[in-house]
Amino acid sequence: MPSELLPPGPELRTWNGSSIRVSTFYSVAGISTSMFLDMPIGRIIMEAGDGCTRDLIELQRNLPNEEIDTKKQVESLQAIVISHPHYDHYSGLLNLLNFLHLMQRSRPIRIIYPKGSSPIEGLVDHFLSTLWEKCPFDIELIPVEDETEMSIDGWLFKSVPVMHRNSRPGAVGNKVPAMAYSISFGNDRVVYSGDTGEARSLEPFFKGADLGIVETTFARTPEGHEDVHLDINGSCELGSSSLEHWHVHFTGPSFNKIRETCP
Ligand SMILES: [Zn+2]
């Protein structure tokens, strides 16, 4: 494969707001996405893609002043938030839950996801039914639908439903339950598009956010894939309605083009 078609490799990116720090190592369409939102009161894992547990540990190696007591880190997890039931966004959940078990987390863990995401619920069932002993923590499943707003332990969660479909190169399938999310704490608001083809309708949600995280799958949207993902134009337009923005969920072509188009 020519190197310009290869997706980007793992690389730590960090955004430091005044109340929230956002970090990510890896976000590639069809492979894996995970992001870590750190607040003084604990951490939110946004998307449990393959390798999210590895990346959680890598934060300890790479971030200055990071808490190196893994047990404490595991206890301070506030929630796992998943945008939709596609493997590249939730397949790491099984290993993550197993890791929380190995570390003997004792507090309940929340998993927030779009209502109707039976693959996510099925994975949690699989974890609980195959565990060799009783799970030391409760799993609180929080399915959300429509526009939802919740205050959780001092941070504010909002969701907005978005259009997203099953797809592969050359074919588009059914709509899947999918959400965009906003997390606010202290002075910061971080919004994330999840996977979606909708740039325009999300603009009010992104407007004025301190950090807008936008999916950037296509260099240019292929015909018929308008409901599936954003391309560079849509992603830059949506991102620029926030005060600062990040692109995630790359392919090789979109990663290589984004820096010239949306510096
Ligand atoms: Zn998807």
Side-chain angles (χ1 to χ4, degrees), residues 84 86 88-89 164-165 176 195 228-229 249:
H84 67 290
H86 276 160
D88 50 339
H89 297 254
H164 183 48
R165 291 184 182 277
V176 294
D195 281 9
V228 183
H229 289 297
H249 208 264

Side-chain angles (χ1 to χ4, degrees), residues 128-158:
L128 290 172
S129 65
T130 56
L131 197 60
W132 61 276
E133 62 173 1
K134 188 179 176 322
C135 189
F137 55 91
D138 286 332
I139 298 177
E140 189 184 343
L141 294 179
I142 308 179
V144 291
E145 63 177 333
D146 305 324
E147 291 190 21
T148 302
E149 196 172 313
M150 292 184 277
S151 177
I152 304 172
D153 284 1
W155 52 279
L156 186 69
F157 167 93
K158 282 188 195 180

Side-chain angles (χ1 to χ4, degrees), residues 167-244:
S167 72
R168 60 172 169 76
V172 172
N174 296 342
K175 184 180 184 311
V176 294
M179 293 279 178
Y181 294 128
S182 160
I183 307 284
S184 304
F185 179 77
N187 298 320
D188 291 330
R189 184 163 73 90
V190 175
V191 292
Y192 167 52
S193 66
D195 281 9
T196 182
E198 289 183 77
R200 282 277 150 74
S201 62
L202 274 180
E203 270 184 25
F205 198 56
F206 271 68
K207 196 167 180 216
D210 297 282
L211 179 67
I213 305 173
V214 279
E215 76 117 296
T216 312
T217 307
F218 296 135
R220 180 188 287 185
T221 303
E223 209 180 311
H225 283 64
E226 293 76 11
D227 282 351
V228 183
H229 289 297
L230 298 179
D231 65 10
I232 287 172
N233 289 339
S235 174
C236 290
E237 201 179 315
L238 179 57
S240 52
S241 56
S242 298
L243 301 180
E244 288 181 58

